[in-house]
Amino acid sequence: MIKLKNISVRYGKNQILSNINLEVKEGENLIIMGPNGSGKTTLLKSMMGLIHFEGEIEIDGRNIRSFSRSEIARYISYVPQIFTTPFSFTVKEFVSMGLYRKKRDYWDEENDIEEALKITNIYDLKDKYINKISGGELQKCLIARALVQDSEFISMDEPMSHLDVKAVLEISSIIASLSSKGKGIIIVSHDVNIIKNLNGNILLLKNGNISFLGKEDNPDFVRSLETVFEVKVHKNNDIYYFTKL
Ligand code: ADP
């Protein structure tokens, strides 16, 4: 379990996160939403101990400050928001980089890489260069690399942004299938409809504070969504959509 106790983050004089308390158990999902600049990426980075924070973060009861980087990486992998590289690795070489952080006692390299390539539907691309594939394909490579890392949780920062609708649907269903196999997904998303495919707690952030933390069926959810995004929320055939207030 990952547990955040009174987490606050400041950049210079700017308070970015204030007293965040939450926990995510193994195999559970957390969907983080909020307007631009509300602190979502900052929250994700602090959960991985990547930035300085006040308060305490515990992983399985142990203070994250006592973890080495590779110990954290065994617990939580990271699919970043924007990824570019000037280097021309093949897809397979790139995905295999996730092995670097893997639990050493379970190494079965070739099988793990092939499985990750298949789960993310990029097996046929394995010999292509990653700087010559589409944005959606690259996103699948990042997920495959995280899978190879074999961590308890995969965290993802807006993995569907900048993708066309077909790629969005494909990536959503890959993420949902990982979750159904028991992988805990911690995801920053702008698409509220992701909660249809990914059960879990929803965290709504506004100005670095938690406005809502709970399940979709909580009666406060829609009201909080409206307050946080300053829109009117509608639901039709199980799909959320928004209009101006
Ligand atoms: P979100 O992911 O919700 O869009 P972020 O966590 O990226 O928000 O950013 C929250 C706020 O922190 C924004 O105002 C942003 O400009 C600021 N911020 C983010 N990273 C830094 C940084 N490295 N230095 C200074 N300010 C930052």
Side-chain angles (χ1 to χ4, degrees):
M1 177 165 69
I2 181 160
K3 191 167 190 169
L4 278 67
K5 298 180 182 170
N6 287 321
I7 295 305
S8 296
V9 175
R10 240 177 278 148
Y11 284 126
K13 286 188 194 137
N14 297 330
Q15 186 82 34
I16 309 298
L17 293 176
S18 308
N19 295 313
I20 304 290
N21 288 289
L22 67 92
E23 56 184 52
V24 198
K25 298 195 179 80
E26 251 91 275
E28 283 187 356
N29 302 318
L30 178 71
I31 299 143
I32 305 170
M33 293 191 293
N36 293 331
S38 57
K40 302 180 296 297
T41 299
T42 304
L43 179 62
L44 209 54
K45 286 184 176 167
S46 48
M47 284 171 98
M48 288 178 295
L50 288 174
I51 53 172
H52 178 77
F53 56 85
E54 290 162 40
E56 300 298 331
I57 297 179
E58 287 176 1
I59 290 179
D60 289 343
R62 195 178 130 203
N63 193 319
I64 201 173
R65 292 190 174 95
S66 71
F67 279 67
S68 66
R69 278 258 39 96
S70 59
E71 280 178 309
I72 294 173
R74 278 175 225 162
Y75 196 76
I76 182 164
S77 53
Y78 183 44
V79 175
Q81 187 172 8
I82 292 166
F83 179 84
T84 52
T85 174
F87 301 111
S88 41
F89 302 109
T90 66
V91 163
K92 186 172 175 182
E93 283 166 347
F94 179 75
V95 168
S96 70
M97 287 172 193
L99 286 171
Y100 169 65
R101 301 289 195 187
K102 194 169 188 272
K103 298 168 193 160
R104 288 180 183 269
D105 32 339
Y106 294 116
W107 271 27
D108 184 2
E109 302 183 7
E110 203 55 36
N111 278 350
D112 289 353
I113 295 166
E114 298 223 335
E115 198 186 332
L117 291 166
K118 284 176 187 159
I119 289 172
T120 51
N121 304 332
I122 50 173
Y123 189 79
D124 292 344
L125 302 177
K126 65 184 184 345
D127 298 319
K128 283 203 169 185
Y129 288 101
I130 56 161
N131 50 4
K132 301 223 165 73
I133 58 178
S134 72
E137 289 165 347
L138 182 58
Q139 199 61 48
K140 289 187 273 181
C141 292
L142 287 161
I143 295 172
R145 185 182 66 169
L147 265 179
V148 162
Q149 198 171 313
D150 195 25
S151 49
E152 303 290 341
F153 288 98
I154 299 185
S155 70
M156 305 184 183
D157 198 348
E158 294 184 34
M160 272 91 81
S161 57
H162 316 298
L163 300 183
D164 65 46
V165 280
K166 188 173 169 213
V168 167
L169 291 173
E170 190 184 3
I171 304 262
S172 306
S173 87
I174 290 169
I175 294 171
S177 82
L178 295 179
S179 161
S180 67
K181 287 181 191 139
K183 185 72 84 179
I185 308 286
I186 299 175
I187 186 167
V188 171
S189 177
H190 272 305
D191 177 11
V192 66
N193 288 305
I194 193 170
I195 58 186
K196 257 192 318 128
N197 299 326
L198 204 58
N199 286 322
N201 274 321
I202 304 157
L203 171 65
L204 297 182
L205 273 183
K206 181 148 195 179
N207 299 327
N209 292 284
I210 295 183
S211 289
F212 175 87
L213 177 60
K215 304 276 186 211
E216 184 194 3
D217 59 8
N218 184 316
D220 289 337
F221 172 59
V222 168
R223 202 168 342 117
S224 302
L225 207 53
E226 292 184 328
T227 311
V228 162
F229 287 100
E230 298 173 17
V231 292
K232 182 91 190 114
V233 175
H234 312 267
K235 198 175 180 191
N236 193 359
N237 285 334
D238 230 19
I239 303 284
Y240 288 96
Y241 67 97
F242 306 98
T243 55
K244 279 196 212 163
L245 274 183

